[in-house]
Amino acid sequence: MNEPIRKSMNEKRGTTVEETCRSNAPPVQTEKGTPIFRSIGMRRFSGVLVQQLRRMTYCHQFLSNLSSLTRFRLHTGNVNGYTQLKVRRFETSAEELSACLDLQLTSNPIAADFKENSCLLLCDNDHMDNYERDEIKITMKVFLSAWDVQQIEQAVTSLKEQLKTKDIEVLILSFPELDLIDGESEDDEHRRWFEKVKPLYTYMEKLVETSEIASIGVSDFSARQLKEVLGHFDVKPSINHVRLDGCCQVPPELQALANDNDVQLLVHNDPTPFPTNNIFKTFCEIDSGCEKPMCSPLFQTTWLSRYSVWVRKRSIMTSKGYIVQFIRKHD
């Protein structure tokens, strides 16, 4: 009666019946007097230790190679290729990115060409070759750290180079937070916000005119903000990415405005603002042997983009990844 139970318990923890019999038997002595089972255990422990040391070495060497650069970008490649990530549920996209970098930098990143202002691919990205360009749809969301048109230009150019494409179907822009001014009225704040938005949105319109992107999306716009953009620009936004914190319903005014102007309201789980400056801190936490100057940190992020590649006829996401740009901090 007891034997099947013992067998079941061993199977749950991954131990075979044969190993159980061995563990209950007296240890056999080697010629030098060391028990064989202890020797096997030490070899297994040594193997695990060697793997951990190799992972630390990979990460440490990777960070050391970055230390000579003043500007670079990291590209995760297709995060859907990691089973460990697909089976987990992340509350935010920032958590997903952090977990992805943990996996990639504690293994052996394939990036080998550490050049100034280059994009370092951390894993294989050849899955894009499985489809013809007209079979897929590419969407990207760019998170800006400043009201800077160049950040949009750099993010779009980088993605096109990495995915080897001339155009992108949807560009969603997450604008930076507006600095608050004490005593400023709500109307004055809105006018100041719109003056910041104008050059960025105008640049996205030019991308539509040159067929580099097909449609524009915005993120977390209120009804008043969306109405302002709809009334001012010729190219209307097709998407408003919204985060529903603490509720599960879009404000009625925003819903009505979107319906009247053919604007899709799509829900996202991106933190606002995106904690991009914590990304380099993640590297340092992975590599506990890293030198202190490297973990100051040396770099800060300027923009981050997340992209998705969809198979049109099947509505399947074949790829998803992140690209982050870093620049060296000034003393």
Side-chain angles (χ1 to χ4, degrees):
M1 291 292 293
N2 293 333
E3 186 60 30
I5 295 176
R6 186 182 301 117
K7 178 179 178 181
S8 175
M9 291 174 63
N10 288 328
E11 288 176 345
K12 287 183 179 179
R13 65 172 181 262
T15 307
T16 64
V17 175
E18 183 181 1
E19 287 173 334
T20 304
C21 294
R22 287 178 180 175
S23 64
N24 292 332
V28 179
Q29 301 291 322
T30 63
E31 293 181 0
K32 295 183 179 181
T34 303
I36 289 178
F37 299 149
R38 186 183 303 171
S39 176
I40 293 173
M42 287 300 294
R43 284 201 298 271
R44 288 177 179 170
F45 174 76
S46 298
V48 172
L49 183 60
V50 168
Q51 285 183 334
Q52 293 293 336
L53 289 174
R54 282 177 178 171
R55 288 176 178 176
M56 289 180 62
T57 302
Y58 290 148
C59 186
H60 185 75
Q61 185 61 47
F62 186 83
L63 290 172
S64 296
N65 289 334
L66 296 180
S67 64
S68 62
L69 306 178
T70 60
R71 182 189 298 266
F72 65 92
R73 292 174 294 282
L74 289 184
H75 180 194
T76 63
N78 185 16
V79 302
N80 285 349
Y82 293 92
T83 304
Q84 304 96 313
L85 300 180
K86 292 176 71 174
V87 299
R88 289 178 59 183
R89 287 189 175 184
F90 300 99
E91 291 187 7
T92 69
S93 53
E95 291 181 5
E96 178 185 55
L97 175 57
S98 178
C100 179
L101 292 173
D102 282 348
L103 284 173
Q104 293 180 321
L105 295 177
T106 54
S107 58
N108 187 4
I110 66 172
D113 196 10
F114 293 82
K115 292 182 178 179
E116 181 66 23
N117 200 26
S118 62
C119 190
L120 304 172
L121 179 63
L122 298 181
C123 75
D124 193 6
N125 213 39
D126 61 1
H127 57 278
M128 289 293 298
D129 299 330
N130 297 334
Y131 300 94
E132 296 296 330
R133 181 62 183 89
D134 59 359
E135 295 179 312
I136 59 175
K137 174 183 177 181
I138 301 173
T139 67
M140 73 178 299
K141 184 174 183 179
V142 179
F143 302 85
L144 304 180
S145 64
W147 301 88
D148 185 359
V149 168
Q150 285 190 341
Q151 291 191 10
I152 307 174
E153 180 183 6
Q154 292 165 358
V156 171
T157 300
S158 181
L159 182 62
K160 290 194 299 182
E161 290 175 352
Q162 289 297 297
L163 299 189
K164 299 179 176 62
T165 183
K166 295 180 179 179
D167 54 2
I168 297 165
E169 276 73 10
V170 181
L171 168 61
I172 301 173
L173 193 62
S174 178
F175 294 85
E177 289 190 315
L178 187 69
D179 294 333
L180 299 179
I181 298 178
D182 290 339
E184 185 178 39
S185 69
E186 185 176 331
D187 289 342
D188 288 342
E189 180 182 310
H190 177 78
R191 281 191 287 269
R192 186 164 57 91
W193 169 84
F194 191 54
E195 289 303 314
K196 295 276 192 180
V197 168
K198 282 181 182 178
L200 304 185
Y201 201 96
T202 299
Y203 179 75
M204 290 196 291
E205 282 191 312
K206 291 179 180 178
L207 293 178
V208 174
E209 292 171 2
T210 57
S211 299
E212 293 180 71
I213 64 173
S215 61
I216 296 172
V218 295
S219 184
D220 299 307
F221 272 24
S222 66
R224 183 179 184 181
Q225 291 171 332
L226 183 59
K227 185 177 181 179
E228 188 82 55
V229 169
L230 288 168
H232 185 84
F233 295 101
D234 294 330
V235 180
K236 313 301 182 186
S238 62
I239 294 172
N240 185 15
H241 236 198
V242 295
R243 182 179 175 93
L244 303 178
D245 289 322
C247 67
C248 55
Q249 187 175 4
V250 176
E253 184 183 1
L254 179 59
Q255 184 71 68
L257 181 64
N259 291 341
D260 292 342
N261 292 275
D262 296 323
V263 178
Q264 287 183 287
L265 297 178
L266 303 180
V267 178
H268 69 80
N269 70 337
D270 304 315
T272 305
F274 203 101
T276 51
N277 282 325
N278 290 338
I279 295 173
F280 201 85
K281 182 181 177 183
T282 299
F283 300 168
C284 299
E285 290 173 349
I286 295 171
D287 182 18
S288 57
C290 188
E291 299 175 0
K292 289 183 179 180
M294 197 61 196
C295 288
S296 309
L298 275 177
F299 299 95
Q300 63 185 11
T301 54
T302 58
W303 54 262
L304 176 145
S305 70
R306 182 185 65 243
Y307 66 87
S308 303
V309 181
W310 297 83
V311 182
R312 291 179 182 274
K313 293 183 178 180
R314 301 168 62 190
S315 296
I316 295 175
M317 183 191 294
T318 183
S319 177
K320 178 174 67 173
Y322 297 84
I323 301 178
V324 192
Q325 177 164 274
F326 297 84
I327 60 172
R328 183 178 290 274
K329 274 189 170 182
H330 297 294
D331 296 331

